[in-house]
């Protein structure tokens, strides 16, 4: 009888979880659409920018590269490898198929 | 996107999740692929 | 008893999936709040100054940021049409997207770290659909790690 009760209990829990998952899926779709609508709205996109100071204040002292690229641009980062001089090499490769990529070099100076 | 046989991580603008960038940062820091 | 075991495994799988989806939903909530907050801030600033900032002093979303030590030597090759770039660094770097930058700017009202003041929570509430407010209240006290049923 205990096992049967546990079985019933588990089935009920699973049903609840399935409903919860459906709710979450719906909320995600809804929110993704909302974000798209908000960011595509021309009156909002006009104000969708940050200043150089905003960015520099988030990464104090570092050298920064701001990259603006068309949707779908591929950024490729290989595992760092040891170079011939014994130093590790770090690489970033950018490839666009639909438009030029803009890169800005920024630092506090 | 994902890992290729040559151990790279790909990120696609306006498409890949932020999590992918965190994986890249971890790989750069540790030298190990996720 | 076997069926019980199978159902328990299924229950655990569903729980994990739900936690993952909840985490994704939280991230989307942060995105919406951060973006709307940014737009509001810039709109107010332009109203105060009565003009937009110089175009060469701002960066429009979306973008990503590569940051590295100022001692790092960066070698850059660019194709003629600017469709391809290759960067070589002699030191480590990090890459962050624009939403991460907005969070660091405080545009997500501290919700990303669970440190949200009552005033900020009020602002955040006004920026998301009412149906998601229960999540917001939980996030204000820390990320939702377990399955949360509003």
């Amino acid at each position: 009888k205990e096992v049967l009760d546990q079985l019933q209990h588990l089935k009920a829990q699973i049903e609840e979880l399935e409903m919860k998952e459906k709710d979450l899926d719906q909320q995600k779709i809804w929110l993704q659409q909302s974000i798209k609508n908000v960011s595509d709205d021309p009156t909002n996109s006009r104000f969708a920018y940050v200043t150089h100071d905003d960015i520099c204040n988030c990464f104090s002292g570092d050298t920064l590269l701001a990259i603006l690229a068309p949707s779908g641009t591929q950024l490729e980062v290989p595992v760092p490898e040891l170079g011939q001089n014994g130093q590790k090499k770090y690489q970033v490769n950018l490839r666009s198929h639909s438009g030029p990529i803009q890169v800005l070099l920024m630092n506090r100076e | 996107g994902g890992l290729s046989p040559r151990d790279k991580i790909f990120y696609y603008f306006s498409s890949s999740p932020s999590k992918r960038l965190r994986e890249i940062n971890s790989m750069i820091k540790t030298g190990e692929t996720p | 008893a076997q069926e019980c075991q199978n159902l328990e495994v299924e229950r655990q799988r569903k729980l994990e999936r739900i936690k993952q989806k909840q985490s994704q939903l939280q991230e989307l909530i942060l995105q919406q709040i951060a973006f709307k907050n940014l737009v509001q801030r810039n709109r107010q600033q332009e109203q105060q100054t009565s003009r937009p900032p110089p175009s060469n002093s701002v960066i429009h979303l979306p973008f990503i940021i590569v940051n590295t030590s100022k001692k790092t030597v960066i070698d850059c090759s660019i194709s003629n049409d600017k469709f391809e770039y290759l960067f070589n660094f002699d030191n480590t770097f990090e890459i962050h997207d624009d939403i991460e930058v907005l969070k660091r700017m405080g545009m997500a009202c501290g919700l990303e770290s669970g440190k949200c003041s009552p005033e900020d929570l009020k602002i955040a509430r006004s920026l998301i659909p009412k149906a998601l407010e229960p999540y917001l209240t939980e996030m204000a006290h820390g990320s939702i790690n377990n399955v949360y049923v509003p």
Side-chain angles (χ1 to χ4, degrees):
Chain A
K1 190 186 180 298
E2 272 175 24
V3 172
L4 280 173
D5 284 343
Q6 199 185 2
L7 204 61
Q8 289 298 326
H9 181 61
L10 277 170
K11 282 184 178 171
Q13 276 196 327
I14 286 174
E15 220 174 279
E16 264 180 49
L17 290 174
E18 271 168 8
M19 278 177 52
K20 169 75 185 169
E21 194 175 352
K22 268 196 191 130
D23 278 344
L24 277 171
D25 287 337
Q26 193 53 50
Q27 283 164 345
K28 261 182 67 184
I29 293 172
W30 193 23
L31 197 47
Q32 276 166 338
Q33 188 57 49
S34 173
I35 289 171
K36 193 176 182 309
N37 292 344
V38 163
S39 49
D40 287 349
D41 181 347
T43 50
N44 286 336
S45 57
R46 171 166 135 54
F47 296 105
Y49 59 78
V50 295
T51 64
H52 292 182
D53 271 343
D54 285 334
I55 298 179
C56 289
N57 288 340
C58 295
F59 302 97
S60 51
D62 278 356
T63 291
L64 307 169
L65 297 168
I67 302 173
L68 292 89
S71 181
T73 296
Q74 180 189 87
L75 181 146
E76 174 190 309
V77 179
V79 173
E81 278 178 346
L82 274 176
Q84 284 177 341
N85 56 1
Q87 226 184 354
K88 262 194 176 166
K89 285 192 318 183
Y90 304 89
Q91 225 177 52
V92 173
N93 200 350
L94 292 164
R95 273 192 210 97
S96 163
H97 298 289
S98 54
I101 300 167
Q102 284 181 64
V103 177
L104 270 101
L105 174 67
M106 291 190 297
N107 57 26
R108 185 56 84 184
E109 289 76 27
Chain B
L3 290 177
S4 74
R6 292 182 59 194
D7 288 335
K8 299 174 185 177
I9 300 183
F10 296 95
Y11 169 88
Y12 294 90
F13 278 67
S14 305
S15 164
S16 297
S18 303
K19 183 180 154 195
R20 186 60 57 80
L21 292 177
R22 290 196 284 272
E23 287 171 6
I24 289 174
N25 294 338
S26 172
M27 180 181 78
I28 292 294
K29 204 170 168 183
T30 63
E32 285 168 13
T33 50
Chain C
Q2 184 61 50
E3 199 183 344
C4 254
Q5 214 176 14
N6 293 344
L7 285 180
E8 180 58 42
V9 167
E10 194 186 332
R11 190 185 82 98
Q12 283 304 322
R13 248 189 247 141
K14 281 200 187 302
L15 270 171
E16 279 313 307
R17 241 192 355 247
I18 286 173
K19 277 187 206 173
Q20 213 178 35
K21 290 185 177 183
Q22 222 167 237
S23 170
Q24 288 164 1
L25 187 68
Q26 285 179 74
E27 186 57 34
L28 289 172
I29 290 172
L30 290 175
Q31 268 185 46
Q32 169 113 325
I33 290 170
F35 185 86
K36 282 184 163 181
N37 237 343
L38 177 74
V39 165
Q40 256 179 25
R41 180 204 76 164
N42 290 339
R43 193 178 264 133
Q44 279 167 9
Q45 275 185 355
E46 286 194 25
Q47 275 170 1
Q48 282 171 5
T49 57
S50 308
R51 58 191 166 93
S55 58
N56 61 357
S57 70
V58 302
I59 293 171
H60 280 267
L61 274 60
F63 60 82
I64 63 163
I65 296 287
V66 180
N67 68 296
T68 184
S69 160
K70 59 184 177 190
K71 294 180 190 163
T72 303
V73 174
I74 307 172
D75 178 61
C76 176
S77 306
I78 312 172
S79 66
N80 284 341
D81 56 7
K82 294 195 179 173
F83 275 49
E84 208 168 323
Y85 282 67
L86 175 63
F87 295 99
N88 281 298
F89 301 78
D90 70 349
N91 203 345
T92 59
F93 59 82
E94 283 183 345
I95 309 180
H96 303 280
D97 61 12
D98 43 20
I99 296 300
E100 174 64 25
V101 172
L102 294 189
K103 285 178 192 173
R104 292 186 184 207
M105 285 167 61
M107 290 289 140
C109 302
L111 287 162
E112 72 283 2
S113 54
K115 292 171 185 165
C116 183
S117 67
E119 299 79 29
D120 280 339
L121 186 55
K122 203 176 166 189
I123 294 170
R125 272 211 186 98
S126 67
L127 300 172
I128 58 159
K130 220 168 170 50
L132 297 172
E133 275 183 27
Y135 285 102
L136 208 57
T137 314
E138 285 298 304
M139 284 163 71
H141 301 116
S143 205
I144 309 172
N145 290 318
N146 294 315
V147 174
Y148 169 68
V149 181

